């Protein structure tokens, strides 16, 4: 009888152990499934964000490339669909400068304004180092980034005598150009943030895609009038390095792209980019400065005395 009780007790213990193992296995499977699901969700979120950034960059790149000044003496005549053509004319640079009057003659001094879009990034710091080495000032049309490193770069731009311009807070076309209210909110968010960080209220703006972009859901004339009401001057460009397409050109080719067009004009506003994926541009900055200095060009930051390069006449939008 005692042996039977002992055997029953042993069987009961074995069953408990099996049940315990099954519970542990089930818990482990469920926990593993939860962890794997979380990892998969995080991975998909990261991939989605990455794809959104790439799509937005490709969208921007295509629009900017379509609007880059070609290798001719005339600036692009953009289509005006979606714009109020009765109040806004899409023309050669306006408001203070005429295309014909801007053509350089023998003996003219070339005034060159190097402008960098899409920063700040680590590349911005390197570019600032190069500019400091050559004692050259430039203009940075920045986007909104609230990390400590970016805040330090905004401050460095101001402290070292460069011009701090605005290029929208989000740099997302679908958000910025959704409506007038969306544009104004984005503008104020960036201007207020830059003032909070640097103590300087930026007075210069570059539209993502340029003032003659065909992306905006609202007439660019309305956005230009808004900037006018804020006492903010916007700038397009009449010379492009061609670095909007990542790795499209070598540093030497970027320099040649700029110098060949700068030689045509008295005043040149040069489009460059200092985002994190523009290492080729970084390599080109030093040689570009040397090439411009060899042609006795004046390299200047945009200020209130700079002749304005605009594709859409600001005066017509008031």
């Amino acid at each position: 009888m005692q042996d039977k009780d002992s055997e029953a007790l042993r069987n009961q213990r074995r069953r408990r152990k099996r049940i315990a193992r099954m519970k542990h296995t089930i818990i482990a499977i469920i926990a593993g499934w939860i962890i794997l699901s979380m990892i998969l969700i995080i991975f998909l979120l990261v991939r989605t964000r990455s794809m959104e950034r790439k799509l937005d960059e490709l969208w921007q790149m295509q629009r900017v490339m379509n609007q880059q000044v070609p290798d001719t003496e005339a600036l692009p005549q953009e289509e005006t669909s979606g714009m109020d053509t009765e109040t806004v004319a899409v023309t050669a640079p306006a408001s203070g400068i005429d295309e014909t009057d801007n053509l350089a003659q023998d003996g003219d001094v070339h005034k060159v304004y190097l402008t960098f879009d899409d920063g700040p990034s680590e590349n911005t710091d390197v570019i600032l180092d190069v500019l400091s080495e050559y004692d050259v000032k430039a203009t940075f049309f920045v986007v909104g980034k609230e990390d400590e490193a970016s805040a330090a770069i905004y401050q460095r731009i101001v402290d070292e005598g460069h011009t701090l311009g605005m290029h929208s807070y989000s740099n997302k076309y679908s958000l910025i150009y959704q409506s007038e209210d969306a544009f104004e909110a984005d503008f104020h968010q960036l201007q207020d943030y830059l003032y909070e960080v640097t103590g300087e209220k930026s007075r210069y703006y570059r539209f993502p895609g340029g003032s003659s972009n065909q992306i905006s859901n609202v007439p660019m004339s309305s956005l230009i009038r808004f900037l006018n009401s804020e006492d903010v001057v916007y700038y397009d460009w009449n010379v492009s390095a061609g670095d909007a397409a990542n790795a499209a050109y070598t540093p030497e080719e970027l320099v040649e792209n700029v110098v060949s067009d700068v030689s045509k004009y008295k005043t040149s506003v040069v489009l460059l980019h200092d985002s994190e994926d523009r290492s080729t541009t970084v390599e080109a900055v030093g040689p570009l400065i040397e090439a411009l200095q060899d042609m006795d060009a004046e390299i200047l930051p945009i200020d209130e005395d700079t002749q304005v390069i605009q594709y859409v006449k600001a005066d017509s939008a008031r």
Side-chain angles (χ1 to χ4, degrees):
M1 186 67 177
Q2 186 175 1
D3 291 341
K4 289 182 179 180
D5 290 342
S6 298
E7 182 64 25
L9 185 59
R10 286 194 293 270
N11 289 336
Q12 187 177 16
R13 289 174 179 172
R14 282 195 290 267
R15 282 197 300 272
R16 288 177 179 173
K17 288 181 180 179
R18 286 198 297 271
I19 293 172
R21 284 197 297 268
M22 290 177 63
K23 287 182 178 178
H24 292 155
T25 302
I26 292 172
I27 292 172
I29 292 173
I30 293 173
W33 180 82
I34 292 173
I35 293 172
L36 182 61
S37 298
M38 292 179 63
I39 292 174
L40 182 60
I41 291 171
I42 293 171
F43 173 77
L44 290 174
L45 286 173
V46 171
R47 290 290 296 174
T48 300
R49 294 283 180 85
S50 177
M51 290 179 66
E52 286 179 350
R53 287 195 298 269
K54 289 180 180 179
L55 285 173
D56 196 72
E57 180 180 353
L58 287 172
W59 187 9
Q60 178 176 351
M61 184 186 304
Q62 179 181 358
R63 293 300 181 179
V64 172
M65 289 180 67
N66 287 341
Q67 295 171 53
Q68 287 175 359
V69 178
D71 234 354
T72 66
E73 292 185 347
L75 287 170
Q77 301 290 324
E78 304 291 345
E79 295 178 2
T80 58
S81 60
M83 293 186 182
D84 181 357
T85 55
E86 292 183 357
T87 59
V88 176
V90 179
T91 71
S95 184
I97 190 168
D98 179 80
E99 169 66 7
T100 303
D101 291 341
N102 193 34
L103 295 178
Q105 305 295 327
D106 290 342
D108 285 337
V109 175
H110 301 280
K111 291 187 177 182
V112 180
Y113 298 85
L114 302 180
T115 67
F116 296 89
D117 287 9
D118 297 341
S121 72
E122 291 181 358
N123 284 334
T124 311
D125 260 332
V126 181
I127 290 171
L128 287 168
D129 290 340
V130 176
L131 294 173
S132 177
E133 178 183 348
Y134 287 93
D135 193 23
V136 165
K137 308 302 180 187
T139 300
F140 293 85
F141 290 102
V142 301
V143 300
K145 294 183 179 180
E146 297 194 8
D147 57 282
E148 291 184 6
S150 296
I153 295 174
Y154 297 134
Q155 189 65 60
R156 184 180 175 189
I157 289 171
V158 172
D159 289 345
E160 296 185 6
H162 305 284
T163 297
L164 183 65
M166 297 173 284
H167 193 46
S168 80
Y169 188 91
S170 68
N171 204 25
K172 290 184 178 294
Y173 287 40
S174 57
L175 297 178
I176 301 164
Y177 295 129
Q178 183 178 19
S179 66
E180 291 182 37
D181 288 343
F183 180 86
E184 292 176 16
D186 182 279
F187 169 87
H188 284 303
Q189 185 178 10
L190 180 57
Q191 189 183 56
D192 292 347
Y193 175 60
L194 294 178
Y195 181 76
E196 177 185 338
V197 171
T198 69
E200 180 167 303
K201 191 170 186 179
S202 178
R203 294 295 185 185
Y204 304 101
Y205 193 90
R206 171 165 287 154
F207 290 105
S211 65
S212 55
N213 77 79
Q214 301 299 303
I215 303 166
S216 180
N217 290 330
V218 295
M220 293 301 293
S221 58
S222 299
L223 306 185
I224 293 169
R225 280 193 289 268
F226 166 71
L227 292 182
N228 290 343
S229 71
E230 296 289 325
D231 194 26
V232 170
V233 180
Y234 79 90
Y235 275 83
D236 288 306
W237 60 92
N238 61 345
V239 175
S240 174
D243 64 346
N246 189 27
Y249 294 103
T250 65
E252 293 76 18
E253 289 170 331
L254 294 179
V255 172
E256 176 59 28
N257 290 344
V258 173
V259 172
S260 62
D261 277 349
V262 163
S263 63
K264 302 173 185 177
Y265 303 117
K266 299 176 186 176
T267 297
S268 297
V269 175
V270 182
L271 176 65
L272 296 152
H273 296 81
D274 61 329
S275 51
E276 60 187 9
D277 54 353
R278 295 298 185 266
S279 57
T280 306
T281 302
V282 175
E283 296 175 33
V285 173
L288 174 58
I289 292 173
E290 292 179 3
L292 293 172
Q293 290 176 338
D294 286 343
M295 58 187 294
D296 295 325
E298 293 183 9
I299 308 175
L300 305 165
I302 287 175
D303 61 20
E304 61 184 8
D305 296 322
T306 304
Q307 290 183 304
V308 181
I309 301 293
Q310 296 174 335
Y311 295 154
V312 177
K313 287 185 177 180
D315 291 342
S316 300
R318 289 176 180 171

